Amino acid sequence: MVRSFKVRSAERDAQTDSERFGSISAAISAAVASVQKERDALRGRVDAARDLASFVAGTDYEEYLTRDARDASMIKEYESQMIAGEKRVQELESQLGSLIAVQEVFSRSFPGMPG
C-alpha cells in the first residue's frame, strides 16, 4: 500500500513560521531594550559624576591653586570615572546602532513576521 504525500496546512505553516521568527524578533528586541536601559542609566551616572566634579572643583577663578589634596584626588577620580563611563556609553551606542540595523534587516527579510 502506497501512502500519499501530504503537506501541512497553510495555517499550520504560518503558525510555525510565526513562532520561529517571533522568538528571533523577541531576542533582538530584548537586546535593544537592554542596551538602551544600560546606556540611559550610565548616562545618568556620568552626568551625576560631572555635576559632583564641578561642585568639588568650585567656581573661584584660581581655586585650583589652593585646593586641598583630598578634593584634588576626588576630582581625578570623578574624571577617571567619567572617561570610562563615556567610553562605555559610546560602545553601547555602537551596539544599539548595530542591533537596530539587524531589526531593520529582519523586518525587510521576513515581511509580515513579528518584528
Side-chain angles (χ1 to χ4, degrees):
M1 173 185 223
V2 177
R3 290 187 170 178
S4 64
F5 175 73
K6 288 187 170 188
V7 295
R8 292 186 294 193
S9 69
E11 293 82 18
R12 176 109 187 261
D13 286 343
Q15 178 184 356
T16 300
D17 292 346
S18 180
E19 290 170 0
R20 179 180 300 124
F21 294 115
S23 65
I24 295 168
S25 176
I28 296 168
S29 294
V32 167
S34 175
V35 170
Q36 288 173 328
K37 182 178 178 181
E38 182 181 351
R39 180 204 55 197
D40 294 346
L42 182 56
R43 170 59 53 212
R45 291 193 311 272
V46 168
D47 290 346
R50 183 174 291 113
D51 293 345
L52 287 171
S54 63
F55 178 74
V56 171
T59 57
D60 287 345
Y61 177 65
E62 293 182 348
E63 188 168 341
Y64 69 94
L65 295 173
T66 59
R67 183 174 297 127
D68 69 25
R70 192 175 122 239
D71 286 346
S73 176
M74 287 175 61
I75 291 170
K76 283 197 178 290
E77 178 61 24
Y78 289 138
E79 287 173 346
S80 173
Q81 291 299 312
M82 285 184 295
I83 290 168
E86 287 293 344
K87 181 180 177 194
R88 180 62 179 160
V89 167
Q90 292 304 314
E91 291 170 357
L92 293 170
E93 289 291 345
S94 177
Q95 290 177 16
L96 188 57
S98 296
L99 287 168
I100 289 171
V102 168
Q103 275 184 320
E104 291 169 357
V105 168
F106 181 87
S107 294
R108 284 194 311 272
S109 298
F110 304 103
M113 292 293 139

